[in-house]
Amino acid sequence: MTVSSPKFVRVLYFSSIIGCVQANSVFGSPLQYRCVCLPSMGFEGKSMKLQVKKEKTCQRKTICAHAFTDLTYVAPVVFVYLLKECYFNGNLKATKKFRALQQQVHNVLCNSPQPGPATFVAYCLYILPLLGPHCEGFSHLIVSALHRFLKTAASTGDSLEAKILAARLFVDIVEGSIGHDERIAVKILEVFDVKLTDIEKVVSRLKVQNDCRFDSAKTYVEKHIYGLIESQSYMTAVNLLEHFSIRQSGQSFLVKMMEKKQFRAAEKWAAFMGKPMLSILVQEYADRNMLKNAYVIIKRNNLQQEFPDVHHKYKESALKQLAEKACWDVAEAKANGDRQLVEFLVYLAMEAGYSEKVDELCNRYALEGFLNAKELEASFLHRHFLNLNDLVVEDIIWVDEVDGLRKATCHIEGSKVVGLDCEWKPNYVKGRKPNKVSIMQIASDKMVFIFDLIKLYEDVPDVLDNCLTRILQSPRILKLGYNFQCDVKQLAQSYGDLECFKCYNMLLDIQNMFKEPRGGLSGLAEKILGAGLNKTRRNSNWEERPLTPNQLEYAALDAAVLIQIFCHVRDQSHPADVSEGHDKIEWKSHIVSYMDNPKKSRKESKIRKELEVEDNGP
């Protein structure tokens, strides 16, 4: 019986288990032996208890803490068992426990495991399938730990024996006698650096035992790879082809992976095969209109000259997507001064009716031959969006000083229903905090007040706090918003020392009244009122002063349209086959409050009861 045979490993396993149960001769009496103890895993100063049945009684025996300072007399099966015990008895989250154990395994491989660290891990991999559903996780743990260890170790001294054992393990996995996942099999080949010559040695030995079972190593591996392809395990097949440097014709295989949407496998295969296959891959992506994927391959492999049209087409597509999201500044940055792309961006702004952006780009890049702002607005009239006249808004009032603030507050307090919204300058730098909320719009039935929060906060913070508290926390005013609870959080972060944004009362989020709100507020307005909102200025610079007339109109519309949508829903909430009051309760059930004072909450309940019997709207 050879050291590398599975039978040897099984004998090793059972003898080790017996050794654990009858541990007097090895570990001393009573049953005591040492296990991995990780201070960071919650075993500080503690010992684990092991229960061993003896003559119908249950005796508690101690597993003492041990840092594996010496693995000379620790069998692989004991190591695996103790590793499992440490994982399941640790009190940290799974990811942290995994990383801690991975580091510990990496450390203990330096402590003289016999007959060597790589061979020791190979024996462990033979044993790990006994852990059942936990096999894959622990296999990945110890293989990755060995991989880290081999990067720093000058020589393990057991590499040849470990390679042959790993090659035999791979064959046993392929044959189904060892139950490891395919991904672990590939990992074993990579970490142990198993080549076809190592597989050939194993195959040659097995041929002696059974001549009809195996062909050459290459034929054997190729047959396994074909089986993986048939079962659509494309990534595993590609990994094996790359590892063993087996090159096929490639194109039909590539197309098959593309048809099955196995794009990562296709990309890895094309990169392995070289530039001609990468060119085929780019064309396949282009034919499927997957321009981003094509662009990534082009850029990564310096294929711009081979595919100039695809490269430029993707750039334009990316600009169009950003323009549709109203991310004009990001789109301009993506254009990177390319005149052709900047002109395309101007056309997108013209198509959206964003006259300010058209003039801005034309002036900045000295572009000529485009419509001016007035001509653009005239050409844009055929695209109908809601405007202030449609919503019967009489005036927009800019509020940036104390007298105007007080007058606006008095007017709003006389309203039963108001619409709320706010705007801030977008921040496109990942990881950076959002910019401070710039303006807050509050619409009554005929007027929209736009509060310059930045200036009012600098000049009269106490008055601003008092006025907005009276509005936002009033139980007499029904406040309409669209996802406004998120806006309230942003307001609280922007102006943390103001009390007005820490509580709110009688807030009805229009978004929550509809099960499938698609297209945001604009889509909802189109569904309810027959026309949407022009959102091209959504991500403009809201800290600029003065705001443009189009920015003011955009801001006012976002608040005023909420009242129109609410009135429409309320007026349509009395179908003939539904008893009166049922649908009223339906929309009123969406009213939310966040109040610190319970007395105010009781007052709010009283107001809601009054609303139940009130039929007249604002």
Side-chain angles (χ1 to χ4, degrees):
M1 179 168 56
T2 64
V3 171
S4 61
S5 68
K7 185 176 179 182
F8 169 82
V9 175
R10 287 194 291 271
V11 171
L12 172 65
Y13 169 72
F14 289 115
S15 63
S16 299
I17 290 294
I18 294 170
C20 289
V21 177
Q22 300 175 346
N24 292 350
S25 60
V26 179
F27 298 108
S29 180
L31 176 61
Q32 284 189 339
Y33 59 90
R34 301 175 294 174
C35 74
V36 178
C37 179
L38 303 177
S40 62
M41 290 182 64
F43 291 109
E44 303 94 327
K46 299 179 182 178
S47 60
M48 292 181 295
K49 301 297 182 178
L50 179 70
Q51 293 183 345
V52 179
K53 291 185 178 179
K54 183 179 180 180
E55 296 178 355
K56 299 182 181 181
T57 62
C58 184
Q59 298 180 355
R60 288 186 176 273
K61 304 298 180 182
T62 304
I63 301 179
C64 298
H66 173 40
F68 273 114
T69 54
D70 184 3
L71 287 183
T72 306
Y73 300 107
V74 177
V77 66
V78 176
F79 178 78
V80 168
Y81 173 77
L82 298 178
L83 199 64
K84 177 181 75 73
E85 286 299 304
C86 278
Y87 182 82
F88 287 111
N89 286 281
N91 56 16
L92 295 182
K93 291 185 178 180
T95 302
K96 289 186 176 181
K97 284 196 291 186
F98 181 90
R99 290 175 181 170
L101 276 175
Q102 186 185 52
Q103 180 61 44
Q104 188 71 5
V105 172
H106 172 265
N107 293 339
V108 302
L109 289 176
C110 303
N111 297 332
S112 304
Q114 296 299 316
T119 307
F120 185 84
V121 169
Y123 286 146
C124 290
L125 288 168
Y126 261 108
I127 297 163
L128 279 168
L130 295 169
L131 297 182
H134 306 291
C135 168
E136 184 178 350
F138 282 105
S139 298
H140 177 68
L141 189 153
I142 67 170
V143 170
S144 58
L146 176 65
H147 182 58
R148 287 181 57 199
F149 172 79
L150 293 176
K151 282 183 178 180
T152 56
S155 175
T156 63
D158 66 332
S159 58
L160 182 60
E161 182 180 359
K163 272 190 179 187
I164 298 301
L165 188 58
R168 176 60 192 272
L169 179 58
F170 172 75
V171 172
D172 287 336
I173 293 171
V174 172
E175 293 296 303
S177 57
I178 297 292
H180 274 297
D181 185 85
E182 292 172 349
R183 290 170 294 184
I184 296 298
V186 173
K187 199 92 173 166
I188 290 169
L189 295 175
E190 293 172 350
V191 173
F192 287 88
D193 194 27
V194 176
K195 304 298 183 184
L196 279 175
T197 52
D198 303 311
I199 304 290
E200 187 66 53
K201 291 177 183 177
V202 173
V203 169
S204 298
R205 292 180 185 180
L206 293 173
K207 272 185 178 181
V208 176
Q209 301 172 13
N210 188 348
D211 292 334
C212 302
R213 189 178 173 193
F214 295 101
D215 301 314
S216 68
K218 185 177 181 181
T219 305
Y220 177 76
V221 169
E222 286 179 344
K223 189 181 295 183
H224 176 58
I225 292 172
Y226 293 147
L228 292 171
I229 294 172
E230 287 296 319
S231 63
Q232 299 183 16
S233 298
Y234 293 112
M235 183 57 80
T236 304
V238 167
N239 286 331
L240 291 177
L241 289 167
E242 183 178 10
H243 179 80
F244 290 116
S245 297
I246 299 174
R247 295 177 178 270
Q248 306 292 346
S249 58
Q251 183 169 351
S252 60
F253 181 39
L254 181 72
V255 172
K256 184 181 291 186
M257 286 188 283
M258 297 289 287
E259 289 173 350
K260 298 296 183 181
K261 298 183 179 180
Q262 297 292 313
F263 303 123
R264 286 181 61 247
E267 289 174 9
K268 187 169 185 179
W269 170 247
F272 169 64
M273 293 297 287
K275 198 169 185 177
M277 194 63 65
L278 286 167
S279 297
I280 295 172
L281 176 64
V282 170
Q283 194 58 54
E284 287 288 334
Y285 275 138
D287 293 343
R288 288 169 168 78
N289 202 33
M290 299 175 66
L291 298 177
K292 183 175 182 180
N293 301 66
Y295 172 75
V296 170
I297 299 300
I298 290 170
K299 188 175 181 181
R300 186 184 297 159
N301 298 280
N302 197 25
L303 297 173
Q304 288 88 342
Q305 293 183 352
E306 287 82 353
F307 297 95
D309 293 340
V310 175
H311 186 263
H312 188 78
K313 192 176 179 182
Y314 165 72
K315 286 284 191 180
E316 289 188 345
S317 174
L319 291 183
K320 187 174 182 180
Q321 290 179 9
L322 290 169
E324 289 172 350
K325 297 176 181 177
C327 299
W328 298 98
D329 292 342
V330 179
E332 184 180 349
K334 288 284 186 183
N336 198 27
D338 185 300
R339 189 176 182 86
Q340 190 176 356
L341 292 175
V342 171
E343 289 181 352
F344 180 71
L345 190 58
V346 171
Y347 280 114
L348 292 174
M350 290 174 62
E351 187 180 49
Y354 196 171
S355 55
E356 303 102 304
K357 181 57 69 174
V358 172
D359 288 344
E360 181 185 329
L361 291 172
C362 288
N363 292 333
R364 184 176 298 150
Y365 297 96
L367 303 177
E368 297 179 354
F370 292 96
L371 296 174
N372 60 35
K374 291 183 178 179
E375 292 172 331
L376 177 60
E377 288 175 3
S379 67
F380 193 65
L381 289 176
H382 68 281
R383 296 187 61 183
H384 180 58
F385 292 109
L386 285 175
N387 56 56
L388 294 176
N389 292 330
D390 295 330
L391 302 182
V392 201
V393 174
E394 296 177 355
D395 200 4
I396 302 174
I397 299 177
W398 179 258
V399 181
D400 65 352
E401 45 81 30
V402 66
D403 290 338
L405 177 58
R406 289 190 173 117
K407 289 178 182 178
T409 303
C410 290
H411 176 88
I412 293 166
E413 285 185 309
S415 303
K416 293 182 179 180
V417 179
V418 296
L420 303 177
D421 194 28
C422 56
E423 308 291 344
W424 58 90
K425 181 182 178 180
N427 175 27
Y428 302 111
V429 180
K430 188 175 182 180
R432 184 178 295 177
K433 291 182 179 180
N435 291 310
K436 184 179 289 188
V437 176
S438 177
I439 62 172
M440 183 175 183
Q441 310 96 274
I442 304 180
S444 65
D445 56 341
K446 298 294 184 183
M447 304 177 71
V448 180
F449 299 91
I450 300 182
F451 293 74
D452 185 349
L453 294 181
I454 293 176
K455 188 173 185 300
L456 291 169
Y457 178 73
E458 290 176 354
D459 295 346
V460 286
D462 294 337
V463 180
L464 176 66
D465 198 7
N466 176 263
C467 290
L468 291 181
T469 297
R470 286 158 55 187
I471 296 169
L472 295 176
Q473 298 182 21
S474 170
R476 295 274 175 190
I477 306 172
L478 178 62
K479 290 161 280 288
L480 309 173
Y482 190 88
N483 196 26
F484 193 73
Q485 286 172 287
C486 292
D487 290 349
V488 169
K489 292 180 182 179
Q490 186 64 31
L491 286 162
Q493 290 176 1
S494 300
Y495 306 97
D497 55 339
L498 298 185
E499 296 297 322
C500 57
F501 300 127
K502 296 179 181 179
C503 300
Y504 52 85
N505 202 356
M506 295 293 289
L507 175 65
L508 174 60
D509 197 325
I510 296 293
Q511 184 183 36
N512 295 334
M513 294 170 59
F514 299 89
K515 294 181 179 179
E516 297 180 4
R518 295 181 180 179
L521 181 58
S522 178
L524 184 58
E526 185 172 3
K527 177 181 178 181
I528 301 298
L529 305 177
L533 301 170
N534 183 0
K535 305 297 288 185
T536 55
R537 292 166 184 84
R538 176 180 56 194
N539 291 325
S540 58
N541 184 2
W542 293 103
E543 293 181 4
E544 189 177 34
R545 297 291 184 270
L547 295 178
T548 66
N550 284 325
Q551 282 181 304
L552 291 172
E553 182 177 4
Y554 171 91
L557 280 167
D558 267 9
V561 74
L562 295 169
I563 296 178
Q564 296 298 320
I565 292 173
F566 170 73
C567 290
H568 181 86
V569 172
R570 184 199 58 195
D571 294 343
Q572 298 296 321
S573 63
H574 298 283
D577 57 340
V578 178
S579 61
E580 185 174 354
H582 177 78
D583 285 275
K584 282 186 174 182
I585 298 173
E586 183 62 30
W587 66 261
K588 289 184 179 66
S589 66
H590 293 293
I591 296 175
V592 295
S593 298
Y594 180 74
M595 302 297 293
D596 291 333
N597 190 342
K599 292 183 179 180
K600 290 185 178 180
S601 297
R602 288 195 291 270
K603 190 174 182 180
E604 176 201 338
S605 300
K606 183 179 178 181
I607 297 296
R608 289 196 189 193
K609 290 180 180 179
E610 292 176 3
L611 285 171
E612 295 294 333
V613 296
E614 184 177 319
D615 293 326
N616 296 326

